[in-house]
């Protein structure tokens, strides 16, 4: 961290203190997330391979490790098609807009105790608000590409994210009720030497985990881009680097929400020996491993079953959990 | 001087002339090689089975013959995201215009493998007075690699894909650029 | 999704037509369903077939009986052996060509292995249609074991041409029974795994129970046969109703269910696989020695002429009743050959069953009736 | 639960059967009767009432007596190895009453027979192309059909006219 501080000091000389932090932070996050996407794409294909009795990509790099770089460079070199009948401006904007919210959310996750950037008093609320914006760009993509399959996929994604945003919020609320704050750093510090919140709030943890599976459009909730029904779902008409943007956004969203889950329930950067951010990474990759595992095991839920599962099961359970926590906290507090 | 693109389907000579006009003035050999190397190692085929060869194509994607080792197991259903079309099975005359539409919908650096006798020359269904099939994919689209067999074994398709990868790495283009 | 769209007819504004076109991940080949949807609910479906039409029947008219042998297994390539033997048996029956004992039992063994391979492939494809990626890899792995075994006898993996008029082209090697029992043992261990993973999986049951319900009247009106009919409760199986070949010698029963929905069809096929294993075990014990082909049957050398007459010959394929009509004028080539394929009837029932279902169920029901497109289009 | 013999007897009593125009034996079926086209729909309803299902429709382009179509419609039962074949003899231009109202699968079978042979079916909901592309003008399975119009899907445009293959002539008269 001292190297960063020195770099920031020299930069502050040119552009002033605040701008330097902001610039350095943005570059750091963008670089890390780009690296993470490459790693996650490879991890998903290798894990899928091993789940399915095969070895996954082996040709590129030692033991297939550079496969995702080959994918990205190939996608860079692809011709970018814009179908004539699309709504051009909205069609071009959708891929850009899809991963801006996830980048903002990434900057709000506290990496380590003192030096980390994020010390927002209302961090959790901002995060939950921003994570609702990604569905806007999915709908824009689906609607503008003038393809009936895409419109179907877009409609489905809007309904799904609305239905699964609420359990995620309620699960987070029950944690906030215990920690008495919405500042993520204080939530983590509240878990410092007591037991982690995943044990205090097991129901909320499960709800949160199911919610982020649905929010990142991953099976068994991947109905917006259901391969076997809607051909390509909302990104059917996108090719080349634009399609890669959707790929990039999906995996970034996965990491960010997993990190949020780790911060809320698994005690973000707390952990012996290793520095803070490394612990946060280990925990979020554990959550991601379970996400990938679930994807390659379960078939897909039908659209209306998915909705009834959210409205009739998850949300009532979340509300009951909230009430129980309130009674307990009030009783003890 | 803008490159004039004739309306309708350009003939071969015009395509050659267009390719010559549009050739980049500076050949960036290094970038070309890296691009071709990456393209060769991440060929995404389109899920497009026509008949019996489709089962052998699926068998190649499964655990025993494992197309994934060459980075080609991501079967994209939409032609927009695929860059390899494996023509697996008989192309009937009712299906030929659809295959052509799919081929035109795929973004440009695209290749095609004619798998099985039917897509190479009509195979077992070619006889005098035959009315139902298109005798080979060459009749209406460009084919880069032919994999003979009826159906070819999964190893033969793997060999076809590896031959295509060699061809991409050397950046050569055979056959009419239609 | 990419076929030339039909001319826009004046349709009410609240429905729209969607092409589940010749190229779609879950139409099991080049079948095009023109769906008229209101929101996600289906109003009307019009299956457009013919994208896999190759003209087998026209080819039969200028091919001698022996030259037409390779064609049949290319009609239904998942049941290639059964189709190939059906053509041989039809010609043998019309021409009264005797078949030695060993060949009869060997045909039953190869046909039942082919049925197992076809059902295994179907289970993987059905679960893929429901969105589960991984089961297909496992079921295909068992299928590869069977294909490897069949390849050692017949020489090919998918489109077999091992039947001759009067027997088989090559004899089973002495080591075949041992290897066959090994494959059977490997399969039996896998049943338990399938039962736990799939049948108790809530999402699978949720997605397949209660959808695509066939009724007996519909089945009679559309001539549905095979597992789709047995799932409605009718034990109609040609191996029992019109026994052919060596099937009367073996004890096996016909599994049926009564609900007639997608889960019932799944269950019937899994039980049918167990019955096939039972048949193979009995057949392996009773495999007699002796010639594999009858000397009168070596017809491929001289031009085989069949007596004048029309004959209907039916066989049980994994999808239903496969009937061959041979009209012979006494020449060396059939005057007319007609192939009654099971998926043709099973698919024709869909426009009656599907209206009202959602997009995901259309895919599930189409997957549950296990259609092979070149078999429909011939 | 009429056995095939009873159904055949019923057809004869009602006078729906016709004289066989050719002495072409039929095997692989329990009963086979020649049915007059006019009584086809009534006979089919009798079969449906007796518990038979519509199995197959085979259209044969007959040349030897006097150029007509022979339609062989087979019905089978679920519970017994009983198969009844109705054989109908129609001149090439006379339409046959359609069974689409009685059996659902008849619609597709008749569309295919119309498309490949040109047999007319009166009362059929919508005779349109089933297997062949919508713009075909030829009937492929007729014995008189030998080659499709030239197109770039085969060698007809490029290769010189192939010598007429002697085999396709030899079989026309059996």
């Amino acid at each position: 961290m001292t190297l960063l501080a020195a770099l920031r000091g020299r930069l502050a000389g040119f552009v002033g203190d605040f701008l330097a932090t902001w610039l350095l932070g943005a570059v750091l996050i963008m670089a890390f997330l780009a690296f993470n996407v490459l790693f996650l794409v490879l991890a998903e294909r290798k894990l899928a391979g091993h789940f399915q009795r095969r070895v996954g990509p082996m040709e590129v790099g030692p033991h297939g490790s550079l496969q995702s770089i080959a994918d990205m460079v190939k996608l860079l070199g692809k011709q970018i098609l814009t179908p004539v009948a699309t709504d051009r401006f909205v069609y071009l904007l959708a891929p850009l807009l899809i991963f801006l919210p996830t980048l903002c959310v990434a900057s709000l996750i506290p990496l380590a105790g003192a030096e980390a950037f994020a010390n927002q008093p209302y961090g959790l609320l901002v995060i939950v608000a921003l994570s609702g914006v990604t569905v806007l760009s999915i709908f824009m993509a689906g609607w503008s590409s003038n393809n009936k399959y895409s419109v179907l996929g877009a409609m489905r994604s809007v309904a799904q994210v609305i239905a699964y945003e609420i359990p995620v919020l309620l699960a987070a609320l029950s944690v906030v009720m215990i920690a008495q704050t919405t500042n993520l750093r204080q939530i983590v510090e509240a878990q410092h030497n007591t037991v982690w919140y995943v044990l205090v709030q097991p129901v909320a943890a499960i709800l949160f985990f199911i919610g982020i599976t649905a929010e990142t459009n991953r099976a068994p909730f991947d109905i917006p881009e259901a391969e076997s029904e809607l051909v390509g779902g909302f990104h059917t008409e996108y090719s080349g680097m634009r399609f890669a943007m959707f790929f990039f956004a999906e995996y970034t969203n996965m990491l960010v929400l997993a990190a949020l889950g780790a911060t809320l329930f698994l005690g973000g950067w707390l952990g012996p020996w290793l520095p803070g951010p490394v612990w946060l990474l280990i925990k979020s990759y554990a959550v991601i491993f379970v996400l990938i595992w679930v994807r390659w095991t379960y078939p897909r839920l039908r659209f209306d079953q998915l909705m009834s599962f959210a409205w009739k099961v998850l949300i009532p359970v979340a509300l009951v959990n909230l009430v129980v926590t309130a009674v307990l906290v009030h009783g003890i507090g | 001087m803008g490159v004039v693109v004739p309306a309708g389907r350009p003939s071969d000579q015009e395509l050659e002339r267009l390719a010559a006009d549009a050739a980049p003035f500076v050949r960036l050999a290094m970038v070309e090689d890296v691009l071709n190397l990456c393209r060769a190692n991440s060929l995404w085929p389109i899920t497009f089975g026509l008949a019996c060869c489709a089962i052998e194509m699926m068998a190649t994607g499964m655990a025993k013959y494992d197309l994934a080792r060459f980075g080609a197991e991501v079967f994209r259903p939409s032609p927009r995201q695929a860059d390899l079309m494996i023509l697996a099975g008989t192309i009937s005359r009712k299906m030929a215009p659809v295959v052509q539409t799919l081929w035109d919908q795929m973004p440009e650096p695209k290749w095609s493998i004619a798998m099985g006798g039917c897509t190479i020359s009509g195979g077992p269904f070619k006889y005098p007075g035959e009315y139902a099939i298109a005798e080979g994919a060459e009749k209406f689209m460009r084919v880069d690699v032919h994999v003979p067999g009826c159906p070819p074994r999964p190893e033969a398709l793997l060999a076809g894909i590896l031959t295509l990868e060699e061809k991409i790495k050397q950046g050569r283009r055979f056959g009419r650029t239609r | 999704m990419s076929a030339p769209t039909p001319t826009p007819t004046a349709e009410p504004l609240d429905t729209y037509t969607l092409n589940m076109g010749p190229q779609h991940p879950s139409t099991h080949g080049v079948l095009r369903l023109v769906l008229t949807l209101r929101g996600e609910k289906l109003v009307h479906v019009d299956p457009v077939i013919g994208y896999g039409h190759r003209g087998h029947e026209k080819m039969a008219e200028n091919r001698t009986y022996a030259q037409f042998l390779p064609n049949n297994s290319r009609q239904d390539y998942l049941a290639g052996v059964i189709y190939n033997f059906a053509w041989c048996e039809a010609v043998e029956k019309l021409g009264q060509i005797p078949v030695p004992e060993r060949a009869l039992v060997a045909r039953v063994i190869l046909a039942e292995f082919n049925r197992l391979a076809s059902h295994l492939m179907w289970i993987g494809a059905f679960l893929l249609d429901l969105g589960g990626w991984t089961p297909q890899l496992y079921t295909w792995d068992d299928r590869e074991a069977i294909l490897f075994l069949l390849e050692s006898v017949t020489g090919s993996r998918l489109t077999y041409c091992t039947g001759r008029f009067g027997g088989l082209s090559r004899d089973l090697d002495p080591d075949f029974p041992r290897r066959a029992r090994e494959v059977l043992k490997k399969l039996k261990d896998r049943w338990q795994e399938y039962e736990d993973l799939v049948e108790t999986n809530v999402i699978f049951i949720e997605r397949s129970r209660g959808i695509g319900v066939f009724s007996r009247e519909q089945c009679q009106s559309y001539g549905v046969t095979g597992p789709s009919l047995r799932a409605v409760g009718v034990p109609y199986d040609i191996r029992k109703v019109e026994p052919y070949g060596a099937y009367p010698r073996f004890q096996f029963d016909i599994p049926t269910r009564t609900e007639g929905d997608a889960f019932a069809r799944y269950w019937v096929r899994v039980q049918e696989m167990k019955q096939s294993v039972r048949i193979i075990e009995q057949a392996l014990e009773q495999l007699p020695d002796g010639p594999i082909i009858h000397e009168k049957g070596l017809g491929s050398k001289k031009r085989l002429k069949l007596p004048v007459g029309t004959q209907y010959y039916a066989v049980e394929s994994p999808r239903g009743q496969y009937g061959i009509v041979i009209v012979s004028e006494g020449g060396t080539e059939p005057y007319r050959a007609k192939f009654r394929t099971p998926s043709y009837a099973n698919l024709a029932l869909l426009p009656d069953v599907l209206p009202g279902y959602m997009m995901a169920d259309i895919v599930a029901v189409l997957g549950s009736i296990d259609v092979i497109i070149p078999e429909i289009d011939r | 639960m009429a056995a095939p013999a009873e159904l055949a007897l019923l057809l004869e009593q009602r006078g729906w059967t016709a004289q066989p125009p050719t002495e072409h034996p039929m095997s692989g079926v329990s009963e086979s009767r020649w049915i007059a086209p006019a009584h086809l729909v009534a006979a089919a309803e009798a079969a449906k009432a007796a518990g038979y299902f519509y199995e197959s429709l085979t259209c044969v382009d007959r040349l030897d007596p006097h150029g007509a179509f022979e339609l062989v419609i087979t019905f089978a039962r679920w519970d017994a190895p009983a198969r009844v074949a109705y054989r109908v003899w129609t001149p090439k231009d006379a339409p046959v009453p359609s069974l689409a109202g009685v059996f659902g699968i008849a619609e597709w079978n008749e569309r295919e027979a119309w498309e490949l042979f040109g047999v007319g079916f009166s009362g059929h909901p919508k005779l349109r192309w089933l297997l062949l592309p919508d713009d075909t003008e030829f009937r492929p399975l007729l014995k008189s059909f030998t080659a499709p119009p030239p197109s770039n899907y085969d060698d007809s445009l490029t290769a010189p006219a192939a010598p007429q293959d002697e085999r396709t002539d030899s079989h026309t008269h059996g």
Side-chain angles (χ1 to χ4, degrees), chain C residues 62 310 321 335-336 378, chain D residues 55 59 61 112 143 167:
Chain C
N62 49 39
T310 313
Q321 181 220 53
Y335 184 75
R336 164 85 163 106
R378 289 180 304 279
Chain D
E55 193 175 47
C59 181
D61 180 8
E112 188 186 332
K143 294 293 178 188
R167 201 152 30 77

Side-chain angles (χ1 to χ4, degrees), chain C residues 46-51 53 57-59 61-64 67 93-94 216-217 219-225 229 234-238 241-243 303 308-314 321 325 327-331 333-338 340 343-348 351 376-378, chain D residues 23-29 47-64 70 72 74 76-83 87 102-112 116-117 128 130-132 140-143 145-146 167-168 170-174:
Chain C
D46 172 23
V48 179
I49 58 175
Y51 289 98
H53 177 61
E57 288 161 5
K58 181 72 178 178
M59 270 181 82
E61 286 170 14
N62 49 39
R63 283 282 184 282
T64 65
Q67 282 173 335
K93 194 170 168 222
L94 192 56
R216 289 173 77 107
E217 297 72 29
C219 289
Q220 182 189 9
S221 161
Y222 279 89
V224 171
T225 54
L229 180 62
V234 176
Y236 177 71
D237 185 325
I238 304 288
V241 171
E242 292 172 62
R303 306 276 282 231
V308 174
T310 313
Q311 177 196 249
Y312 191 96
Y313 180 80
Q321 181 220 53
V325 180
V327 179
S328 157
E329 292 280 313
E333 288 128 9
Y335 184 75
R336 164 85 163 106
K338 156 81 181 176
R340 188 264 177 204
S343 298
Y344 187 80
N346 298 350
L347 183 74
I376 297 174
D377 302 340
R378 289 180 304 279
Chain D
E23 60 312 315
H24 224 272
M26 178 109 186
S27 58
V29 286
K48 181 164 188 175
Y52 287 79
F53 69 91
Y54 186 109
E55 193 175 47
S56 71
L57 162 71
T58 312
C59 181
V60 186
D61 180 8
R62 283 292 175 205
L63 292 179
D64 36 32
E70 178 198 349
V72 180
T74 59
R77 296 186 60 78
W78 285 334
D79 44 16
R83 176 170 292 113
R87 304 174 76 170
V102 184
F103 288 98
I105 190 62
E107 191 204 341
W108 273 24
N109 277 317
E110 280 157 6
R111 266 171 69 185
E112 188 186 332
L116 298 179
F117 285 89
R128 49 193 166 93
L130 181 68
L131 296 176
L132 296 173
L141 278 181
L142 287 176
K143 294 293 178 188
F145 173 82
T146 50
R167 201 152 30 77
T168 49
S170 66
H171 76 279
T172 39
H173 290 294

Side-chain angles (χ1 to χ4, degrees), chain D residues 108-166:
Chain D
W108 273 24
N109 277 317
E110 280 157 6
R111 266 171 69 185
E112 188 186 332
W114 167 78
E115 167 184 64
L116 298 179
F117 285 89
V119 187
F121 285 95
S122 56
H124 190 280
K126 193 167 182 320
L127 275 181
R128 49 193 166 93
W129 296 93
L130 181 68
L131 296 176
L132 296 173
D134 292 348
D135 53 0
T136 33
E137 302 93 20
F138 51 85
R139 306 288 184 201
L141 278 181
L142 287 176
K143 294 293 178 188
S144 53
F145 173 82
T146 50
S151 75
N152 57 17
Y153 291 132
D154 53 17
D155 305 336
S156 51
L157 291 182
T158 50
Q164 185 59 5
D165 183 357
E166 41 52 322

Side-chain angles (χ1 to χ4, degrees), chain B:
Chain B
M1 188 276 283
V3 176
V4 174
V5 178
R9 174 158 291 288
S11 68
D12 305 333
Q13 298 77 14
E14 274 143 11
L15 279 173
E16 257 94 22
R17 186 177 55 70
L18 277 173
D21 292 354
F25 300 105
V26 175
R27 279 201 59 73
L28 306 167
M30 188 52 191
V31 171
E32 284 290 324
D33 292 348
V34 167
L35 262 178
N36 284 337
L37 185 67
C38 291
R39 283 185 186 135
N41 281 314
S42 97
L43 284 165
W44 289 0
I46 180 174
T47 42
F48 179 56
L50 285 153
C52 350
C53 291
I55 303 292
E56 285 298 72
M57 178 173 80
M58 282 195 256
T60 321
M62 290 302 141
K64 185 170 180 188
Y65 297 99
D66 200 358
L67 202 56
R69 288 170 292 155
F70 312 102
E73 104 279 14
V74 185
F75 274 86
R76 296 303 310 168
S78 151
R80 300 286 189 220
Q81 291 128 22
D83 39 49
L84 164 68
M85 174 184 267
I86 302 180
L87 289 153
T90 320
I91 304 168
S92 73
R93 291 191 186 194
K94 197 172 182 179
M95 192 62 189
V98 177
V99 171
Q100 199 156 0
T101 319
L102 272 175
W103 178 251
D104 296 343
Q105 283 179 344
M106 286 166 71
E108 191 25 60
K110 57 189 176 188
W111 295 272
S112 72
I113 291 183
M115 173 183 180
C118 299
T119 51
I120 295 173
S121 69
F125 303 107
K126 174 183 168 109
Y127 58 93
E130 160 277 321
Y131 65 94
I133 64 159
E135 287 170 9
E138 292 270 37
K139 293 277 188 302
F140 55 91
M141 60 186 275
R142 166 170 60 86
V143 171
D144 292 299
V145 171
H146 297 274
V147 179
C150 185
R153 291 181 55 84
E155 294 93 337
L157 179 61
L158 281 178
I161 288 175
L162 292 181
T163 327
L164 180 64
E165 283 185 11
E166 288 317 313
K167 187 174 163 182
I168 296 170
K169 282 180 193 146
Q170 282 130 20
R172 288 203 316 276
R173 280 280 157 115
F174 297 124
R176 293 187 301 275
T177 59
R178 186 165 37 184

Side-chain angles (χ1 to χ4, degrees), chain A residues 50-54 147-149 152 156 220 227-231 236-237 295-305, chain C residues 1 16-20 24-26 40 129-134 137-138 141 190 201 203 206-207 358-361 363:
Chain A
H50 290 295
F51 289 147
Q52 298 173 348
R53 300 175 50 82
R54 53 187 174 83
N147 177 331
K148 289 175 185 158
Y149 285 110
L152 268 176
R156 287 180 171 190
E227 283 232 333
S228 62
E229 295 142 25
L230 299 181
V231 183
T236 314
E237 291 298 336
R295 172 182 180 164
W296 294 106
T297 334
Y298 283 102
R300 180 179 308 119
L301 270 172
R302 202 179 49 200
F303 183 43
D304 56 335
Q305 290 163 351
Chain C
M1 104 174 167
Y16 62 99
T17 57
L18 178 69
N19 257 321
M20 211 161 131
H24 189 273
S26 60
E40 273 227 21
D129 287 348
L130 299 182
W133 281 87
T134 311
L137 277 296
Y138 287 82
D141 186 49
R190 273 288 168 77
N201 181 327
I203 298 179
E206 194 77 34
R207 277 294 300 279
M358 301 185 61
M359 191 67 180
D361 289 336
V363 166

Side-chain angles (χ1 to χ4, degrees), chain A residues 183-246:
Chain A
N183 184 343
L184 284 175
R185 178 178 300 171
Q186 282 153 15
I187 290 178
V188 172
E189 269 143 16
Q191 300 171 38
H192 191 46
N193 28 37
T194 62
V195 75
W196 285 344
Y197 280 150
V198 73
L199 303 177
V200 176
Q201 283 279 1
V203 172
I206 294 170
L207 287 182
F208 189 85
F209 175 73
I210 295 176
I212 56 171
T213 323
E215 213 154 299
T216 54
N217 294 339
R218 291 185 68 79
F221 306 98
D222 65 346
I223 49 170
E225 36 111 5
E227 283 232 333
S228 62
E229 295 142 25
L230 299 181
V231 183
F234 56 90
H235 49 65
T236 314
E237 291 298 336
Y238 283 86
S239 67
M241 208 45 207
R242 287 197 196 114
F243 167 67
M245 291 284 195
F246 286 108

Side-chain angles (χ1 to χ4, degrees), chain C residues 148-275:
Chain C
F148 188 72
L149 180 76
L150 288 183
E151 193 188 342
S152 66
V153 174
T154 58
S156 44
R157 286 163 54 87
L158 210 62
T159 52
Y160 303 90
C161 186
T162 178
R164 294 293 179 270
F165 306 133
L168 295 179
S169 58
R170 278 182 60 219
D171 198 348
L172 307 180
D173 49 274
D175 189 27
F176 178 80
R178 182 187 60 78
R179 273 187 289 119
R181 289 195 181 91
E182 247 169 52
V183 169
L184 291 182
K185 199 186 122 355
K186 176 178 154 73
L187 281 183
K188 272 187 244 164
D189 307 342
R190 273 288 168 77
W191 290 163
Q192 202 43 43
E193 204 169 311
Y194 290 154
E195 240 111 53
D196 305 343
L197 259 180
V198 177
E199 283 178 19
T200 54
N201 181 327
V202 169
I203 298 179
F204 172 73
I205 290 177
E206 194 77 34
R207 277 294 300 279
S208 63
R209 186 173 292 286
I211 58 163
V213 180
F214 290 174
S215 72
R216 289 173 77 107
E217 297 72 29
Q218 278 173 335
C219 289
Q220 182 189 9
S221 161
Y222 279 89
V224 171
T225 54
S228 309
L229 180 62
R230 292 192 279 275
V232 177
V234 176
Y236 177 71
D237 185 325
I238 304 288
R239 296 175 295 177
K240 281 281 186 190
V241 171
E242 292 172 62
Y244 57 95
Y247 280 105
R249 305 181 195 169
F250 308 116
Q251 279 73 38
F252 61 98
D253 40 39
I254 305 298
T256 60
R257 285 284 281 241
T258 51
E259 300 93 345
D261 59 3
F263 186 79
R265 289 189 276 276
Y266 167 83
W267 187 86
V268 163
R269 285 196 177 87
V270 168
Q271 299 310 317
E272 217 173 80
M273 280 171 24
K274 291 180 181 160
Q275 294 308 318

